[in-house]
Amino acid sequence: MTENKFVLNWLEEMKALCKPDSVVWIDGSEEQLEALRAEAVESGEMIKLNQEKLPGCYYHRTAENDVARVEDRTFICTPTEEEAGPINNWMAPDEMYAKLNALYDGSMVGRTMYVIPYSMGPVGSPFSKIGIELTDSIYVVLNMAIMTRIGDKVLEKIEGDEFIKCLHAKKDVNPDERYIVHFPQDNTIMSVNSAYGGNVLLGKKCFALRIASYLGKNEGWMAEHMLILGLENPQGEVKYIAAAFPSACGKTNLAMLIPPKYLKEKGYKVWTVGDDIAWLRIGPDGRLYAVNPEAGFFGVAPGTSEKTNFNALESTKKNTIFTNVAINNDDMTVWWEGLDKNPPENCTEWTGKQVNGKTYEGNLAHPNSRFTAPAINCPCISSEFENPQGVPISAIVFGGRRAKTAPLVYQARDWEHGVFVGATMASETTAAAAGAVGVVRRDPMAMKPFVGYNMADYFGHWLEMGKKMDPEKAPKIFHVNWFRKDDDGNFLWPGFGDNMRVLLWILDRCAGKADAVESPIGLLPTANDIDTTDLDVTEEQLSELLSVDKSVWMEDVENQEEYFAQFGDRLPAEIKNQLEILKNNLK
Ligand code: GTP
Ligand code: SPV
Ligand code: MN
């Protein structure tokens, strides 16, 4: 426990509001966590999986109406609506507090309130930030224990009121009264009526992106929806790349990539620093450094296989919590679409229904089913994973799911153009958020659901950060698209490990070693610049992948212009200027 009166006073207030039967401090010890696992199994909140095949692994099923982030119920409650901007839902703080207080009132009667002190980033690092999450869900406690650093060692480090106050009540998971709310000025996050991932693991999207992006703007750093990977060449030199793709668009996969055979044989390797969130700061040497504030992976299960992402699959073989996948009843192991071609006959699908997986139609696992795995399980975890200073970034990569429009890869002409490339990102929606799937929407820097303030000011912050860096040392900015399709709807690019071929062009460009040709949208490789050794992609296919269709782009530009219009005068002049350049180039 602690003597910190800011912590204790807030806790007293929240206790008085939620009225739990008891309060339990999470100390971070294995004994306490093990007791909680047993309690969750006893109550049915979790199911123990086969402890020989999957030691330390458990299963959790959420309510059918509670399987993804809920963007339409997520609010940024700044004093004025302008501060939250046109992209975020907003309500006046007073009004929202009143609404929430009524919902939390007595919400924990008959339940236990767990107090989880947690650190985003290595405990005690000057760049780490601390939160305390109060929750009535053991599932949340056990997930937070994997995804963050928790317990007494964190509590000791809190100075004064320097912590983010996070309150979560599961209540009856009523979707009509579900709220995920942020009060950036009050360092406060409140979540009610959900028990799913990003809605309730408040250190992740709520703190490490929404609140942190707000703090970063004020303090001169950045919180981004980015993976961080290190690419080692045969000489043993490692260069780091940070990449922003929207939810369920390939960050975990790229971060854990296994190079194609011919490159592996030459000695190329990829090391994972992070798979979802990066905190970026400018170092004393004028370079940009990235830290992964998380301690685990909350990864998409479907599509994860030995072939597509061996390292992720390995990471889930012990001490992992599976959410909403299917269970093989014969041996109490897990299954999901894309794991292999052998669904269990004797199967519990994600909703709990008993089915024959061989004859079943539809999904056995929910499309947004997930694993929560400790980062230290990952065979390719980087030696720099715990480095409090972070790793120096050579390239920033933006990308999304675009069946047409965006080529396989292109480079921005400079930082300002790169910010524009990020700001004009668009991607087909996925099952990671509630709502329609496969609809193209604008998702600047993959941060549409995660910016804790006005998006126009966020663009301005990116431009400012560029000005503060040594232009020679600032990361070069690129855009990729692994998801381009032919007219029959087939992916044109094999993706996964073969994405390494594109990363090599990117790093060669950073080192001034590779060629590029000018195009209206930026700098493109020619078909010869991408190494296709052992690859089943024809010259025509590669040319198609690298092609820029001016009429399709003209349409996109119209949409970009409409999108930017909503920001009015707040939109930075540089963005307007880049839009004019693009329009002219396309004429
Ligand atoms: P969040 O955790 O939601 O932020 O997602 P993420 O960006 O980490 O996405 P992830 O790597 O989990 O990939 C999501 C889905 O895209 C999985 O089903 C993958 O199998 C699939 N995927 C990833 N990379 C590729 C690729 O290069 N090509 C194709 N076709 N699919 C991919
Ligand atoms: C995402 O949706 O981008 C995720 C999963 O990484 S969640 O933690 O639910 O936000
Ligand atoms: Mn994510």
Side-chain angles (χ1 to χ4, degrees):
M1 290 232 320
T2 178
E3 313 256 283
N4 182 316
K5 65 178 194 311
F6 296 99
V7 173
L8 295 175
N9 290 347
W10 170 64
L11 179 61
E12 281 313 309
E13 249 180 77
M14 296 305 108
K15 268 163 66 181
L17 176 64
C18 301
K19 305 180 180 68
D21 279 17
S22 57
V23 173
V24 171
W25 288 79
I26 299 300
D27 59 21
S29 69
E30 184 49 32
E31 299 77 56
Q32 189 186 37
L33 294 173
E34 191 56 26
L36 288 171
R37 289 179 199 117
E39 192 179 330
V41 169
E42 178 73 28
S43 70
E45 188 178 353
M46 294 209 305
I47 295 171
K48 202 172 197 163
L49 294 167
N50 185 323
Q51 295 299 297
E52 260 154 47
K53 291 185 175 166
L54 297 168
C57 292
Y58 290 81
Y59 179 90
H60 176 75
R61 173 179 299 129
T62 65
E64 282 181 50
N65 69 38
D66 190 27
V67 293
R69 285 183 294 101
V70 280
E71 295 180 0
D72 57 334
R73 319 239 16 127
T74 299
F75 286 77
I76 303 294
C77 295
T78 43
T80 66
E81 187 166 3
E82 289 69 40
E83 281 169 271
I87 298 301
N88 285 312
N89 300 311
W90 176 85
M91 199 185 284
D94 285 354
E95 199 185 328
M96 183 56 96
Y97 277 125
K99 187 188 266 298
L100 291 176
N101 285 343
L103 288 172
Y104 284 102
D105 190 4
S107 59
M108 297 187 190
V109 170
R111 303 177 62 82
T112 302
M113 175 188 270
Y114 300 95
V115 184
I116 319 168
Y118 67 92
S119 175
M120 299 312 291
V123 179
S125 147
F127 303 132
S128 295
K129 300 224 175 248
I130 293 177
I132 299 182
E133 178 160 357
L134 310 178
T135 178
D136 57 352
S137 158
I138 295 180
Y139 170 74
V140 168
V141 174
L142 296 175
N143 272 274
M144 288 293 284
I146 298 172
M147 295 305 297
T148 72
R149 286 98 171 161
I150 60 160
D152 289 345
K153 59 182 191 281
V154 179
L155 198 56
E156 284 161 18
K157 292 281 192 274
I158 299 179
E159 285 175 24
D161 62 352
E162 293 210 359
F163 63 99
I164 306 296
K165 296 173 274 200
C166 310
L167 177 65
H168 165 245
K170 183 173 174 180
K171 270 201 102 154
D172 42 10
V173 292
N174 175 357
D176 300 327
E177 299 210 283
R178 185 169 296 156
Y179 287 95
I180 319 297
V181 186
H182 310 72
F183 300 94
Q185 278 83 354
D186 301 344
N187 287 329
T188 295
I189 301 164
M190 297 173 87
S191 160
V192 66
N193 271 312
S194 173
Y196 181 83
N199 296 334
V200 298
L201 309 179
L202 301 183
K204 196 171 177 56
K205 297 298 161 60
C206 299
F207 179 174
L209 288 180
R210 297 193 190 98
I211 295 290
S213 64
Y214 172 82
L215 294 174
K217 164 146 196 323
N218 295 333
E219 297 169 3
W221 53 282
M222 301 158 81
E224 300 295 332
H225 194 202
M226 288 179 175
L227 69 94
I228 310 161
L229 68 80
L231 198 154
E232 182 176 336
N233 71 13
Q235 290 73 48
E237 298 155 349
V238 185
K239 299 271 188 243
Y240 294 91
I241 296 176
F245 308 155
S247 302
C249 290
K251 289 183 298 304
T252 304
N253 278 269
L254 193 68
M256 300 179 189
L257 172 156
I258 292 180
K261 191 159 160 277
Y262 83 99
L263 288 172
K264 216 165 31 180
E265 284 169 1
K266 282 189 192 166
Y268 284 96
K269 290 187 190 114
V270 166
W271 301 105
T272 307
V273 181
D275 83 323
D276 197 48
I277 297 175
W279 285 0
L280 303 145
R281 287 165 208 276
I282 301 171
D285 58 357
R287 296 181 75 178
L288 192 65
Y289 285 80
V291 166
N292 169 14
E294 301 192 281
F297 311 122
F298 186 60
V300 176
T304 307
S305 72
E306 236 168 78
K307 282 214 185 86
T308 58
N309 196 350
F310 173 84
N311 288 316
L313 199 60
E314 277 299 300
S315 307
T316 67
K317 299 245 162 106
K318 60 180 182 194
N319 305 330
T320 292
I321 300 171
F322 295 92
T323 303
N324 293 342
V325 301
I327 298 179
N328 183 340
N329 299 338
D330 290 331
D331 65 353
M332 289 308 283
T333 56
V334 287
W335 195 85
W336 49 77
E337 278 66 25
L339 174 66
D340 54 38
K341 297 201 164 74
N342 192 25
E345 208 159 300
N346 190 3
C347 177
T348 307
E349 63 137 32
W350 73 272
T351 58
K353 206 163 74 183
Q354 300 304 305
V355 295
N356 181 338
K358 305 265 185 235
T359 56
Y360 191 79
E361 284 185 29
N363 296 317
L364 294 170
H366 187 276
N368 191 36
S369 54
R370 301 243 168 191
F371 53 80
T372 317
I376 49 164
N377 282 3
C378 184
C380 60
I381 195 73
S382 165
S383 59
E384 303 307 298
F385 171 65
E386 300 265 358
N387 183 341
Q389 304 302 328
V391 294
I393 298 298
S394 299
I396 287 176
V397 180
F398 295 119
R401 288 179 187 262
R402 293 301 298 267
K404 300 284 167 204
T405 327
L408 179 63
V409 59
Y410 65 102
Q411 182 182 357
R413 289 180 290 267
D414 51 33
W415 183 271
E416 184 179 305
H417 180 227
V419 174
F420 177 76
V421 168
T424 51
M425 262 171 71
S427 191
E428 292 151 23
T429 51
T430 66
V437 170
V439 183
V440 176
R441 71 166 184 186
R442 305 233 78 97
D443 190 349
M445 283 86 170
M447 284 289 279
K448 191 241 169 238
F450 308 120
V451 177
Y453 59 100
N454 193 309
M455 182 73 86
D457 299 350
Y458 169 81
F459 297 152
H461 184 48
W462 264 84
L463 292 162
E464 280 306 307
M465 289 292 289
K467 288 180 197 143
K468 286 188 200 153
M469 270 179 277
D470 180 336
E472 289 298 309
K473 295 177 186 164
K476 305 283 180 279
I477 301 181
F478 299 80
H479 188 286
V480 299
N481 179 17
W482 315 139
F483 300 94
R484 192 127 160 192
K485 288 181 176 166
D486 64 18
D487 293 335
D488 300 325
N490 306 307
F491 287 122
L492 277 162
W493 179 247
F496 301 103
D498 288 313
N499 294 333
M500 175 86 171
R501 300 165 192 270
V502 174
L503 298 186
L504 287 182
W505 181 74
I506 287 175
L507 286 181
D508 279 350
R509 286 294 299 166
C510 294
K513 285 195 281 195
D515 287 335
V517 289
E518 297 268 358
S519 87
I521 63 166
L523 303 161
L524 282 165
T526 64
N528 289 329
D529 296 322
I530 304 289
D531 191 338
T532 52
T533 306
D534 298 340
L535 197 64
D536 220 10
V537 173
T538 64
E539 180 110 16
E540 290 94 77
Q541 280 170 321
L542 199 54
S543 300
E544 191 178 345
L545 274 160
L546 292 170
S547 65
V548 175
D549 182 329
K550 280 195 184 184
S551 64
V552 175
W553 271 87
M554 277 306 247
E555 269 173 49
D556 203 64
V557 164
E558 272 171 41
N559 186 270
Q560 291 173 15
E561 201 158 19
E562 263 170 50
Y563 182 79
F564 286 139
Q566 69 189 312
F567 300 110
D569 290 345
R570 243 173 145 121
L571 188 74
E574 290 91 336
I575 299 286
K576 285 179 216 158
N577 180 38
Q578 288 291 336
L579 185 66
E580 287 313 308
I581 294 174
L582 177 58
K583 269 203 236 169
N584 274 326
N585 287 353
L586 286 167
K587 260 181 206 153

